[in-house]
């Protein structure tokens, strides 16, 4: 079995829970599930410790996991507590029926809004990265600027597809990489800061209750270091 370091700084931040599923707010800096070389604590570790019944749902390496966020990205994720719920939610994501809204702070002054419709695939040289590549999978991102200051823009970002690193690759491709994203920004490397990308809102049909669940998260404190987020109506 995998040796893992327990980092008590990470918590299972539950925003909604019923018998079928829970919605958690993932901390920045924790992996969702282990890869081949992972020895640090993951979100799956936190879930299995706190909700052991989820261990029987879906694949053993990623129990209950409907969709993923990058290690540095924070915010809302749905965890299924039953196999039929997991399958239903995965179908909703695949059919692009789930509203996924993110908040991002990016370098530079963007346009007021924009659409980025460009396929994403694995980077031809660096296997850890993704890139705009004609043979890649379709990826569709829209953004709307909430506010900007001298050198940063605060964006609301929606994605229809869910490609790995999609928002980061797309925003970097238009010259506005996410603040703190060392992988997709040569110019703005800042090792002390987290990446300022947050899964802020999810709306989906509850598989059992057949009602729309529409949930917004709080805005991370790191965002308010750059913008007075309490005044912003999002």
């Amino acid at each position: 079995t995998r040796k893992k370091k327990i980092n008590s700084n990470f918590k299972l931040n539950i925003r909604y829970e019923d018998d079928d599923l829970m919605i958690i707010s993932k901390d920045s800096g924790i992996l969702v599930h282990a890869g081949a070389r992972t020895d640090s604590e993951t979100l799956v570790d936190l879930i299995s410790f706190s909700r052991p019944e989820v261990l029987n749902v879906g694949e053993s390496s990623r129990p209950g996991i409907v969709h993923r966020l990058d290690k540095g990205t924070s915010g809302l994720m749905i965890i299924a507590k039953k196999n039929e719920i997991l399958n239903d939610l995965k179908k909703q994501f695949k059919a692009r029926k789930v509203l996924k809204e993110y908040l991002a702070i990016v370098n530079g002054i963007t346009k007021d809004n924009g659409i980025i419709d460009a396929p994403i695939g694995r980077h031809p040289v660096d296997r850890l990265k993704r890139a705009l590549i004609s043979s890649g999978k379709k990826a569709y991102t829209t953004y709307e600027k909430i506010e900007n200051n001298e050198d940063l823009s605060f964006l609301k970002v929606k994605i229809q597809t869910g490609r790995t690193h999609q928002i980061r690759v797309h925003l970097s491709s238009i010259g506005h990489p996410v603040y703190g994203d060392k992988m997709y920004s040569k110019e703005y490397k800042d090792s002390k800061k987290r990446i300022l990308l947050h899964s802020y809102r999810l709306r989906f049909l509850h598989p059992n209750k057949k009602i729309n669940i529409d949930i917004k998260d709080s805005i991370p404190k790191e965002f308010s270091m750059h913008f007075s987020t309490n005044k912003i109506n999002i």
Side-chain angles (χ1 to χ4, degrees):
T1 56
R2 186 173 68 83
K3 286 180 184 168
K4 60 179 184 286
K5 298 168 187 158
I6 293 300
N7 180 344
S8 57
N9 293 335
F10 293 126
K11 293 185 174 64
L12 199 61
N13 307 306
I14 297 169
R15 298 286 187 253
Y16 170 90
E17 185 171 18
D18 60 28
D19 291 342
D20 298 312
L21 57 91
M22 59 182 175
I23 302 170
I24 58 107
S25 182
K26 173 189 163 312
D27 291 320
S28 173
I30 187 169
L31 281 166
V32 171
H33 58 76
R37 295 185 297 277
T38 308
D39 64 354
S40 55
E41 187 182 31
T42 66
L43 188 66
V44 164
D45 295 328
L46 293 182
I47 293 165
S48 58
F49 181 73
S50 168
R51 298 287 186 277
E53 67 273 20
V54 176
L55 285 172
N56 300 317
V57 179
E59 296 173 51
S60 59
S61 61
R62 53 187 86 176
I65 301 296
V66 180
H67 59 120
R68 290 183 293 182
L69 295 176
D70 297 342
K71 181 179 180 180
T73 304
S74 57
L76 298 176
M77 279 181 64
I78 312 169
I79 310 296
K81 295 164 87 173
K82 298 172 181 171
N83 277 299
E84 62 272 22
I85 301 296
L86 179 72
N87 296 334
D88 185 299
L89 289 168
K90 280 191 166 180
K91 278 182 193 156
Q92 287 191 51
F93 273 90
K94 197 168 184 184
R96 300 176 191 169
K97 290 180 175 171
V98 179
L99 176 76
K100 296 174 281 185
E101 210 167 85
Y102 288 73
L103 299 178
I105 292 179
V106 301
N107 293 287
I109 308 302
T110 67
K111 296 188 295 186
D112 286 344
N113 49 65
I115 296 170
I116 310 162
D117 186 358
I120 290 174
R122 204 177 276 281
H123 193 285
V125 180
D126 186 341
R127 306 300 287 165
L128 294 175
K129 290 177 77 169
R130 298 298 189 273
L132 297 191
I133 195 158
S134 57
S135 60
K137 292 181 176 174
K138 179 177 170 57
Y140 190 87
T141 305
T142 61
Y143 70 86
E144 175 190 327
K145 184 164 70 181
I146 299 164
E147 198 180 347
N148 62 253
N149 56 29
E150 310 81 64
D151 53 358
L152 296 173
S153 298
F154 187 17
L155 308 180
K156 180 159 69 173
V157 183
K158 291 181 186 175
I159 54 173
Q160 278 190 1
T161 48
R163 308 301 172 210
T164 300
H165 299 181
Q166 176 173 328
I167 294 174
R168 297 163 60 191
V169 171
H170 269 176
L171 291 173
S172 178
S173 77
I174 59 166
H176 298 290
V178 176
Y179 187 88
D181 189 350
K182 297 191 282 288
M183 184 174 273
Y184 295 105
S185 170
K186 292 187 180 72
E187 260 179 274
Y188 306 99
K189 296 206 172 191
D190 187 343
S191 59
K192 295 188 188 72
K193 301 283 192 296
R194 55 157 291 190
I195 179 172
L196 293 186
L197 181 59
H198 184 67
S199 169
Y200 174 66
R201 181 184 175 199
L202 287 172
R203 189 183 70 217
F204 60 96
L205 185 68
H206 192 293
N208 227 348
K209 297 180 177 176
K210 302 301 181 196
I211 55 168
N212 270 321
I213 302 288
D214 191 341
I215 185 164
K216 288 181 177 178
D217 201 3
S218 51
I219 303 174
K221 62 182 186 302
E222 294 92 345
F223 281 66
S224 52
M225 289 160 64
H226 302 280
F227 291 92
S228 53
T229 49
N230 57 339
K231 294 182 196 160
I232 293 170
N233 181 27
I234 304 167

